[in-house]
Amino acid sequence: MAEVDDAPVIVCSAPGSFARSVLAERHPALIEQVRDAFPWSPERHRALDALLRSSTEGVIEPLGPHAHDRERWDAWGAEHFGRSWFDVPFLWSESYFYRLLLEAVGYFGPGPWRGIDPFAPFKRAELRGSLVDDELAALDVLARRPVAERAAAYLRGSLWGNRADLSFTVGSQTADGGTDAGGTEERSGEDPPPLVADDSEVLWSLLPTGGSPGAARTVHVIADNSGRELIPDLVLIDHLLESGRADDVVLHVKPYPYYVSDATMADVVDCARRLAQASGEAGEAGRRLWAAMGDGRLAVRAHGFFCAPFPYAEMPDELRRQFDGAALTIVKGDLNYRRLVGDRLWSPTASFAGLTAHFPGPVAALRTLKSDVIVGLEPRAVARLEDAAGDGTGRAWRTSGTHGLVQVRT
C-alpha cells in the first residue's frame, strides 16, 4: 500500500483542476438555482449573496454563534478558518459549503423555512420525469430473463444510476432552459463503455442465493443520490431480499440534505412510493420494499458522520460496529468512493484492498467516475484510458461520468 504522504490531499487551488471547477463554477451556479427554486425572504436572499461572495472571493469563516453544531465545526475547521476556500482539502470545503448553504436558507433555524430541503424541487422534477417511467417499464422486460441475467442487470442498474447525479449536472442547461439532470450520455441510447474494473463475480460470491444455516446475513448499502439513482438501488435491495442473498438490509442515508441530490429518509419514502404506485414488476418491487421496511427486513439509518468532511477511515466506533459482521457493505457513488479510499491523488494502480483495509468487513464500491480519485486499476487499463482521453492531459475519463467500476475487498 502506498504511504499516505506519497499521495497529496486534493485541494482546489490548481488551475484547470476538476476540484477548482467545482468551487469556482458549480457552486456559484448551484446558489443561483437554489435562489430561483423557492420564494425566499429578503433575509434568505442576503444570506445566499453572502455565501456566494465568501465562497468565490472570501475566506472560510466559522458558523454563526447560534448554530446548533457550531462547536463541532469549530473543532473540524480550526486549521481552515481564515484561509481561502481554494487552499483547503476539497472534501472539507465541499462539505462545509453545503452546511453553509443550509444555514443560508434557514434549514436549521427557528423560522418558517426550518426543515425545507432546498434541493427538493430538483429531486421531485427528476422523479416525475419520463426517463423514470421508461426505466420502471424496463423491469417488465427484465423479469422474463434468467435469474443470473436479472441479478447482473440489477447490479449494473445500481452502478449506472450513479450517473443521475444532480450536483454533477448543475449548470448544464437544456435547450428549453431547464436543467438536464440526466446527462447527455444517458439520452444517447448507446451502451455504456466496459467497466474500468469489474469484481462483480466476487461480489456475488459473497452473497450466494438461498443463504446458509446459522446467523442472518445482513447487507449494508451506503446510499449516494436520490431519485434516478436511489430507485435502482432499491430494486437491487429488493432482489437481495427476494432471492435470499440477504436476510436483511440496512440502507444508510444522509441525516439532512447534502450535495444537492444525496438521499435522505424523505427521499427513500418518495422513491419507494414511486415504485409502489407503478404498474407491473416495478409496483410489485415497491410494495415488497414497503412491507420490508414495515417488518424490519429493510432498515434505514442516518448517522451524522455521513455529512462529516472526513474519510471513512475516521468513522466513529459506534458506526464501525454497525458494519462489523456484515456479509457485505455496498458503497455507492463518487463521494462515498472518495471517502472510502481517501480524497488524495493516488496512483490509479494503488491497491484498492490496501486503501480499504480500514473498513470493517467486506466492502464493495459501485461507482460512476466523476472526480479525480481512482485506485485499483491494472497498468495496461490505465494506459488505454489515458491514450483514449483525447483531452491533452489523459485525465478526462476520471471526471466525465462515462466510466464505471465494481471493486470488492473481501
Side-chain angles (χ1 to χ4, degrees), residues 327-389:
L328 179 67
T329 297
I330 298 173
V331 176
K332 280 299 311 294
D334 199 78
L335 174 60
N336 282 322
Y337 189 89
R338 291 164 56 192
R339 298 184 72 186
L340 179 65
V341 304
D343 203 33
R344 293 173 175 269
L345 293 173
W346 303 108
S347 164
T349 59
S351 168
F352 176 78
L355 291 171
T356 59
H358 63 85
F359 199 92
V363 62
L366 271 60
R367 174 209 182 194
T368 300
L369 278 60
K370 292 178 289 190
S371 67
D372 285 309
V373 180
I374 182 68
V375 299
L377 303 189
E378 295 293 330
R380 284 182 294 179
V382 175
R384 286 195 301 269
L385 289 163
E386 291 179 347
D387 289 343

Side-chain angles (χ1 to χ4, degrees), residues 85-397:
W85 287 81
F86 294 87
D87 293 335
V88 304
F90 182 35
L91 179 62
W92 196 96
S93 62
E94 275 197 295
S95 295
Y96 195 54
F97 170 83
Y98 282 100
R99 175 61 186 86
L100 289 183
L101 182 58
L102 293 183
E103 193 74 13
V105 299
Y107 182 87
F108 295 111
W113 294 104
R114 182 180 181 88
I116 300 296
D117 183 348
F119 314 126
F122 316 139
K123 296 175 179 179
R124 291 168 185 159
E126 186 183 57
L127 271 184
R128 292 194 299 265
S130 60
L131 287 174
V132 174
D133 294 329
D134 295 342
E135 290 159 355
L136 296 183
L139 294 176
D140 292 334
V141 177
L142 189 58
R144 298 192 289 270
R145 299 292 187 179
V147 174
E149 188 174 331
R150 292 204 306 271
Y154 296 144
L155 186 67
R156 290 297 179 95
S158 178
L159 188 161
W160 290 117
N162 185 227
R163 286 190 291 186
D165 178 347
L166 295 174
S167 67
F168 188 63
T169 55
V170 162
S172 173
Q173 299 296 314
T174 61
D176 62 1
T179 299
D180 180 359
T184 55
E185 73 277 5
E186 294 178 273
R187 298 176 181 271
S188 66
E190 298 177 359
D191 291 332
L195 302 184
V196 300
D198 188 3
D199 293 338
S200 299
E201 291 187 8
V202 179
L203 186 152
W204 292 124
S205 74
L206 295 171
L207 303 173
T209 56
S212 57
R217 290 185 306 167
T218 300
V219 173
H220 289 254
V221 178
I222 302 179
D224 189 29
N225 299 306
S226 59
R228 289 183 56 226
E229 178 175 356
L230 186 57
I231 283 179
D233 291 346
L234 291 174
V235 170
L236 175 61
I237 288 171
D238 174 64
H239 168 72
L240 296 178
L241 293 171
E242 186 73 1
S243 65
R245 293 182 183 274
D247 297 297
D248 52 85
V249 175
V250 179
L251 177 63
H252 298 269
V253 298
K254 303 299 190 297
Y256 51 78
Y258 192 64
Y259 278 68
V260 186
S261 55
D262 280 25
T264 65
M265 184 65 211
D267 299 318
V268 174
V269 174
D270 286 346
C271 289
R273 182 178 286 117
R274 180 75 162 87
L275 278 167
Q277 292 175 346
S279 59
E281 292 294 322
E284 292 182 18
R287 289 184 284 275
R288 286 194 297 265
L289 288 163
W290 201 272
M293 283 191 276
D295 64 26
R297 287 178 298 123
L298 172 55
V300 184
R301 299 176 187 169
H303 195 284
F305 182 76
F306 290 116
C307 290
F310 302 116
Y312 286 138
E314 299 181 31
M315 76 172 73
D317 289 342
E318 70 269 16
L319 186 58
R320 181 175 296 277
R321 286 192 292 270
Q322 293 187 41
F323 299 121
D324 192 24
L328 179 67
T329 297
I330 298 173
V331 176
K332 280 299 311 294
D334 199 78
L335 174 60
N336 282 322
Y337 189 89
R338 291 164 56 192
R339 298 184 72 186
L340 179 65
V341 304
D343 203 33
R344 293 173 175 269
L345 293 173
W346 303 108
S347 164
T349 59
S351 168
F352 176 78
L355 291 171
T356 59
H358 63 85
F359 199 92
V363 62
L366 271 60
R367 174 209 182 194
T368 300
L369 278 60
K370 292 178 289 190
S371 67
D372 285 309
V373 180
I374 182 68
V375 299
L377 303 189
E378 295 293 330
R380 284 182 294 179
V382 175
R384 286 195 301 269
L385 289 163
E386 291 179 347
D387 289 343
D391 65 338
T393 68
R395 300 178 68 88
W397 58 276

